[in-house]
Amino acid sequence: MKTIILYATKYGAAEETAGRIAEKINGAAAFNLKKGSIPSLADFECVIVGSGVYAGNILKEAKTFLAQNEKILSEKKLGLFLCGMGTEGETYFNSNFPASLLESAKAKSLLGGIFDPKKANAFERFIIKIVTKSSAYINTISERRIEQFAKAMQ
């Protein structure tokens, strides 16, 4: 089955996660929605879409792509993933994805996130320090959840 993984990332967690998913699905290819040109979805049987979550919202490139392609995505074997430091996965999905896509998705998962203080601005460092009680590098991307997600999409 031909699989495409499309993602939007701000600091790289969704890109890293998309790459790790691609390694587990034979022949899958990953493309960054923020970099523009992507292959036609008509060429793929399986489509996986992911985004980083910031202040509860997915990135605008992902939101725009989902809105523009809702019909064709609902006809594909669809997987949805999010990357973020929060734990409110179901809330994030419900507030960011069209209901039709949530209903038709074969798999949806919050796969963890990365906080790198070297890439964050002062406000982001402040918020993470309040939420996590730490200002150190944090990586919560779950290999187990990635494996479960990839298995569900095969």
Side-chain angles (χ1 to χ4, degrees):
M1 177 180 342
K2 207 165 175 194
T3 301
I4 186 169
I5 303 168
L6 304 164
Y7 64 90
T9 192
K10 185 172 181 180
Y11 294 120
E15 180 173 31
E16 179 179 327
T17 302
R20 288 164 72 175
I21 294 168
E23 290 172 1
K24 297 181 183 329
I25 299 175
N26 192 25
F31 294 88
N32 188 338
L33 290 168
K34 291 178 90 171
K35 292 189 177 174
S37 182
I38 61 166
S40 170
L41 296 181
D43 296 336
F44 298 89
E45 299 156 332
C46 179
V47 179
I48 297 171
V49 182
S51 177
V53 176
Y54 298 92
N57 296 303
I58 64 174
L59 295 172
K60 68 180 177 181
E61 293 83 3
K63 197 164 273 224
T64 300
F65 175 81
L66 292 164
Q68 291 174 345
N69 295 282
E70 185 174 351
K71 184 178 181 334
I72 192 167
L73 290 170
S74 65
E75 297 167 354
K76 301 287 183 179
K77 183 175 184 182
L78 178 65
L80 304 170
F81 75 90
L82 295 173
C83 291
M85 300 304 292
T87 57
E88 303 84 21
E90 199 63 35
T91 301
Y92 295 154
F93 280 105
N94 291 334
S95 63
N96 286 288
F97 291 90
S100 65
L101 296 182
L102 291 173
E103 290 172 18
S104 65
K106 178 100 172 135
K108 60 182 190 220
S109 186
L110 177 61
L111 300 174
I114 297 173
F115 172 70
D116 186 346
K118 294 177 187 169
K119 294 181 180 178
N121 63 39
F123 179 72
E124 291 165 333
R125 289 191 301 272
F126 174 73
I127 294 299
I128 290 294
K129 188 170 186 173
I130 289 172
V131 172
T132 67
K133 311 285 189 264
S134 173
S135 57
Y137 177 90
I138 303 166
N139 184 335
T140 63
I141 294 175
S142 170
E143 190 64 30
R144 179 185 55 79
R145 283 186 269 166
I146 289 172
E147 286 177 13
Q148 290 171 338
F149 182 84
K151 187 175 181 179
M153 293 308 300
Q154 293 185 32

